[in-house]
Amino acid sequence: MSLALGIETSCDETACAIVRDGWEVLSSLVWTQHALHEEFGGVVPEIASRAHVERIYDVAAKSCNAAAVPISHVSVVTVGNRPGLIGSLVVGVSFAKSVAWALNKPLKGVDHVRAHLIAPFLKNPEETPTDWRNESPAVGLVVSGGHTSIYEWISPDRAHEIGRTIDDAVGEAYDKVGAMLGLPHPAGPALDLLAQQGDPTAHDFPVSRLDKHSLDFSFSGLKTAALYAIRGLPAPGGHFARDHTALSPGQKADIAASFQRAASRAVILKLERALDSHAKNARSILVGGGVSANSRLREELLDLGRRKGVRVHLPRMDFCVDNAAMIASQGWWEWQAGGEDGLSLRARPTISMPARAQ
Ligand code: KG4
Ligand code: ZN
């Protein structure tokens, strides 16, 4: 039996988890800062890093208590050290270094985006584990607030990005369109609920295809189409005559549902292309990131899996959004494969997936 301590502070969630043998989640605590950022309509980096400093110790202590594990029993300390807001990452990395140094345990830095793809394998101890080896090769899909990418996924330490967004991430589009509809930040979950009361065919919003073999995404056209549906066409000079307060609840729900349909179709289209081209031998689809909590996308992914004859692994709802259990799991597998970082580990704000396959 081997335990990993996971620490995650890349954006606006302070999280800590204890995971056994790479998949059994003994505890996973997430303290979300949404309330601190809400009045600004987005994450304020300075507020985020200060809040991490104030909370990290408590969250870690509570996570050890919840797992009923003395921290000295941990085999490896893992931390999301890339990508993210630099001031936020530095807090988690410094804390993880202190713990690793004090306990004299190995330290492993983890790529946050890649960790989202291990989230579907996280289970409670009483559940039956899914061995990732039986699911490889897989197509990985990360749909979050900061990233929208497709990967060829071989193992926890081997994945190649084969498609990515050329502008907004899908979660960012959800958040911006939700804000235009007057929903609180982050607007994805509220837009999902609102969409369930609307007609998804009310507006024929564009689904970006790019060139016919492209596995890349683009959400800026969809976002602009939603803007015009909400506020009308701009007058010369760029001024809009109205905002969301001019719309009835039914009109808002129709826009939300139509947006959600187009956003989901754009994701499914590229995933289907990936399965037909790059990943013909894929046995499964692994999905992660906050938007994998979206009700319509989950249904469409399961439907795609049935049509293509591949298994679809979706994370449990609490493991879709940022959490430290995915960091502990990803870090543990990488550590098992022979990777270890010293106390010189640095926080890195930019992404570092292996070079993109052509
Ligand atoms: O993975 P995550 O927690 O953070 C990043 O790594 O970016 O993803 C957060 C994103 C936000 O944009 C949020 O609005 C979106 O996930 N999100 C959703 C839903 N739940 C969270 N978007 C659509 N539908 C949802 N149910
Ligand atoms: Zn994330």
Side-chain angles (χ1 to χ4, degrees):
M1 182 196 79
S2 164
L3 299 174
L5 173 73
I7 291 156
E8 157 61 32
T9 62
S10 66
C11 189
D12 59 345
E13 261 90 30
T14 315
C16 188
I18 306 260
V19 172
R20 183 160 57 198
D21 296 337
W23 65 272
E24 268 180 286
V25 182
L26 302 189
S27 71
S28 174
L29 261 81
V30 180
W31 180 69
T32 178
Q33 306 175 359
H34 293 165
L36 300 181
H37 302 283
E38 198 176 328
E39 67 174 293
F40 305 101
V43 178
V44 182
E46 173 67 17
I47 293 176
S49 45
R50 278 168 183 259
H52 286 308
V53 171
E54 285 163 12
R55 287 296 175 125
I56 185 80
Y57 178 82
D58 275 358
V59 173
K62 287 196 174 105
S63 188
C64 291
N65 284 343
V69 165
I71 197 161
S72 56
H73 288 197
V74 158
S75 309
V76 59
V77 178
T78 70
V79 58
N81 75 319
R82 64 194 193 276
L85 300 172
I86 186 66
S88 292
L89 289 167
V90 160
V91 178
V93 169
S94 309
F95 185 79
K97 282 183 184 177
S98 317
V99 175
W101 179 78
L103 300 176
N104 195 22
K105 301 287 179 182
L107 175 69
K108 182 75 198 133
V110 173
D111 183 321
H112 173 100
V113 184
R114 188 187 285 198
H116 272 302
L117 292 177
I118 205 82
F121 296 110
L122 296 171
K123 300 270 170 75
N124 285 333
E126 63 276 8
E127 289 176 292
T128 312
T130 306
D131 190 337
W132 63 258
R133 293 172 199 88
N134 298 332
E135 307 307 315
S136 169
V139 174
L141 170 73
V142 175
V143 275
S144 73
H147 301 275
T148 305
S149 296
I150 301 181
Y151 302 91
E152 279 176 332
W153 191 96
I154 310 299
S155 63
D157 63 334
R158 271 182 70 205
H160 307 278
E161 190 183 56
I162 54 174
R164 60 160 60 185
T165 182
I166 58 169
D167 43 53
D168 292 332
V170 61
E172 203 178 339
Y174 266 92
D175 292 340
K176 287 182 180 159
V177 171
M180 291 174 209
L181 286 167
L183 303 174
H185 177 83
L191 196 151
D192 189 353
L193 283 177
L194 182 61
Q196 288 164 33
Q197 294 149 38
D199 172 6
T201 62
H203 297 265
D204 190 16
F205 287 144
V207 175
S208 80
R209 286 173 166 75
L210 303 176
D211 81 60
K212 80 176 186 234
H213 300 296
S214 174
L215 299 180
D216 290 337
F217 301 93
S218 166
F219 292 100
S220 61
L222 170 58
K223 206 177 61 182
T224 306
L227 169 71
Y228 291 169
I230 296 165
R231 306 196 64 181
L233 289 177
H239 299 295
F240 290 97
R242 62 168 200 244
D243 66 11
H244 68 87
T245 54
L247 301 177
S248 69
Q251 287 173 318
K252 287 187 189 180
D254 285 349
I255 292 171
S258 305
F259 166 81
Q260 185 159 283
R261 173 172 177 247
S264 302
R265 283 179 67 195
V267 172
I268 297 294
L269 182 90
K270 297 301 162 65
L271 209 49
E272 190 157 1
R273 273 188 192 170
L275 289 166
D276 290 342
S277 58
H278 282 65
K280 286 200 182 94
N281 59 346
R283 295 158 94 182
S284 61
I285 301 172
L286 306 179
V287 190
V291 184
S292 59
N294 184 261
S295 57
R296 182 170 185 121
L297 184 62
R298 288 175 88 88
E299 270 173 34
E300 292 200 12
L301 285 165
L302 294 172
D303 182 55
L304 176 69
R306 279 189 290 269
R307 281 193 282 122
K308 295 287 174 188
V310 292
R311 290 186 287 274
V312 177
H313 296 285
L314 297 164
R316 219 171 74 184
M317 292 306 251
D318 50 337
F319 297 138
C320 291
V321 286
D322 289 350
N323 65 85
M326 68 182 195
I327 301 291
S329 171
Q330 176 71 24
W332 187 87
W333 286 108
E334 288 184 24
W335 172 64
Q336 289 279 306
E340 185 184 324
D341 298 297
L343 291 177
S344 58
L345 178 73
R346 293 175 63 175
R348 299 216 304 267
T350 49
I351 192 149
S352 61
M353 290 296 288
R356 180 171 177 182
Q358 292 304 307

Coordinates of all heavy atoms in Angstrom, one line a residue, residues 13 112 116 144-146 171-172 174-175 186-189 192 289-291 293-294 320-322, ligand 1:
E13 N -8.9 27.3 -6.7 CA -9.3 26.3 -5.8 C -8.1 25.9 -4.9 O -7.0 25.6 -5.5 CB -9.8 25.0 -6.5 CG -11.3 24.9 -6.6 CD -11.9 25.6 -7.9 OE1 -11.1 25.6 -8.9 OE2 -13.0 26.1 -7.8
H112 N -1.1 20.0 -14.5 CA -2.5 20.0 -14.1 C -3.4 19.5 -15.2 O -4.4 18.8 -15.0 CB -2.8 21.5 -13.8 CG -4.3 21.8 -13.5 ND1 -4.8 21.9 -12.3 CD2 -5.3 22.0 -14.4 CE1 -6.1 22.2 -12.3 NE2 -6.4 22.2 -13.6
H116 N -6.1 16.1 -15.4 CA -7.5 16.0 -15.6 C -7.9 14.6 -16.3 O -9.0 14.1 -16.1 CB -8.0 17.1 -16.5 CG -8.4 18.3 -15.7 ND1 -9.4 18.3 -14.7 CD2 -8.0 19.6 -15.8 CE1 -9.5 19.5 -14.2 NE2 -8.7 20.4 -14.8
S144 N -11.9 22.4 -20.1 CA -11.9 23.1 -18.8 C -12.1 24.6 -19.1 O -12.3 25.0 -20.2 CB -10.7 22.8 -18.1 OG -9.6 23.4 -18.6
G145 N -11.9 25.4 -18.0 CA -12.0 26.8 -18.2 C -10.7 27.4 -18.9 O -10.8 28.5 -19.5
G146 N -9.6 26.7 -18.8 CA -8.4 27.2 -19.4 C -7.9 26.4 -20.7 O -7.1 26.9 -21.4
G171 N -14.8 26.2 -21.6 CA -15.3 26.7 -20.3 C -15.3 28.2 -20.3 O -16.2 28.8 -19.7
E172 N -14.3 28.8 -20.9 CA -14.3 30.2 -21.0 C -15.5 30.8 -21.8 O -16.1 31.8 -21.4 CB -13.0 30.6 -21.7 CG -12.4 31.9 -21.5 CD -11.1 32.0 -22.3 OE1 -10.5 30.9 -22.7 OE2 -10.7 33.1 -22.6
Y174 N -18.4 29.3 -22.0 CA -19.5 29.1 -21.1 C -19.6 30.3 -20.1 O -20.6 30.8 -19.9 CB -19.4 27.8 -20.4 CG -20.2 26.6 -21.0 CD1 -19.5 25.8 -21.9 CD2 -21.5 26.4 -20.7 CE1 -20.2 24.7 -22.5 CE2 -22.2 25.4 -21.3 CZ -21.5 24.5 -22.2 OH -22.2 23.5 -22.8
D175 N -18.4 30.6 -19.6 CA -18.4 31.6 -18.6 C -18.8 33.0 -19.1 O -19.5 33.8 -18.5 CB -17.0 31.7 -17.9 CG -16.7 30.4 -17.0 OD1 -17.7 29.7 -16.7 OD2 -15.6 30.2 -16.8
P186 N -18.3 31.3 -11.7 CA -18.2 30.9 -13.0 C -19.5 30.3 -13.6 O -20.2 29.5 -12.9 CB -17.2 29.7 -12.9 CG -17.3 29.2 -11.6 CD -17.8 30.3 -10.7
A187 N -19.9 30.8 -14.7 CA -21.3 30.6 -15.2 C -21.7 29.3 -15.8 O -22.9 29.0 -16.0 CB -21.7 31.7 -16.2
G188 N -20.7 28.4 -16.0 CA -20.9 27.1 -16.7 C -22.1 26.3 -16.0 O -23.0 25.9 -16.7
P189 N -22.0 26.0 -14.7 CA -23.0 25.2 -14.1 C -24.4 25.8 -14.1 O -25.4 25.1 -14.4 CB -22.6 25.1 -12.6 CG -21.1 25.4 -12.6 CD -20.9 26.3 -13.8
D192 N -25.8 25.5 -17.6 CA -26.2 24.2 -17.8 C -27.7 24.0 -17.3 O -28.5 23.4 -18.0 CB -25.2 23.2 -17.1 CG -25.4 21.8 -17.4 OD1 -26.4 21.4 -18.1 OD2 -24.6 21.0 -16.9
G289 N -11.9 17.7 -16.9 CA -12.0 19.2 -16.9 C -13.5 19.6 -16.5 O -14.4 18.8 -16.7
G290 N -13.6 20.8 -16.0 CA -14.9 21.3 -15.5 C -16.1 21.1 -16.4 O -17.2 20.7 -16.0
V291 N -15.9 21.3 -17.7 CA -17.0 21.2 -18.7 C -17.5 19.7 -18.8 O -18.5 19.4 -19.3 CB -16.7 21.9 -20.0 CG1 -17.9 21.9 -20.9 CG2 -16.3 23.3 -19.7
A293 N -18.5 18.1 -16.6 CA -19.7 18.0 -15.7 C -21.0 18.4 -16.4 O -22.1 18.2 -15.9 CB -19.5 19.0 -14.5
N294 N -20.9 18.9 -17.7 CA -22.0 19.4 -18.4 C -23.0 18.3 -18.8 O -22.5 17.3 -19.4 CB -21.5 20.2 -19.6 CG -22.7 20.8 -20.4 OD1 -23.2 20.3 -21.4 ND2 -23.1 22.0 -19.9
C320 N -14.6 16.3 -11.8 CA -14.6 17.0 -13.1 C -13.8 18.3 -12.9 O -12.8 18.7 -13.7 CB -16.0 17.4 -13.6 SG -16.9 15.9 -14.1
V321 N -14.2 19.1 -12.0 CA -13.6 20.4 -11.7 C -12.3 20.2 -11.0 O -12.0 19.1 -10.5 CB -14.5 21.4 -10.9 CG1 -15.6 21.9 -11.8 CG2 -15.1 20.7 -9.7
D322 N -11.5 21.3 -10.8 CA -10.2 21.2 -10.2 C -10.3 20.5 -8.8 O -11.1 20.9 -8.0 CB -9.6 22.6 -10.1 CG -9.2 23.1 -11.5 OD1 -9.2 22.3 -12.4 OD2 -8.8 24.3 -11.6
Ligands
KG4_1 O1 -11.3 22.2 -14.8 P1 -11.8 23.5 -14.1 O2 -12.3 23.4 -12.7 O3 -10.7 24.6 -14.1 C1 -9.8 24.8 -15.1 O4 -8.8 24.0 -15.1 O5 -10.0 25.6 -16.0 O6 -13.0 24.0 -15.1 C2 -13.7 25.1 -14.7 C3 -14.7 25.4 -15.9 C4 -15.4 26.8 -15.7 O7 -15.3 27.5 -17.0 C5 -16.8 26.4 -15.4 O8 -17.8 27.3 -15.8 C6 -16.9 25.1 -16.2 O9 -15.7 24.4 -16.0 N1 -18.0 24.2 -15.8 C7 -19.1 23.9 -16.6 C8 -19.9 23.1 -15.8 N2 -19.4 22.9 -14.5 C9 -18.2 23.6 -14.6 N3 -19.4 24.2 -17.8 C10 -20.5 23.8 -18.4 N4 -21.4 23.0 -17.7 C11 -21.2 22.6 -16.4 N5 -22.0 21.8 -15.7

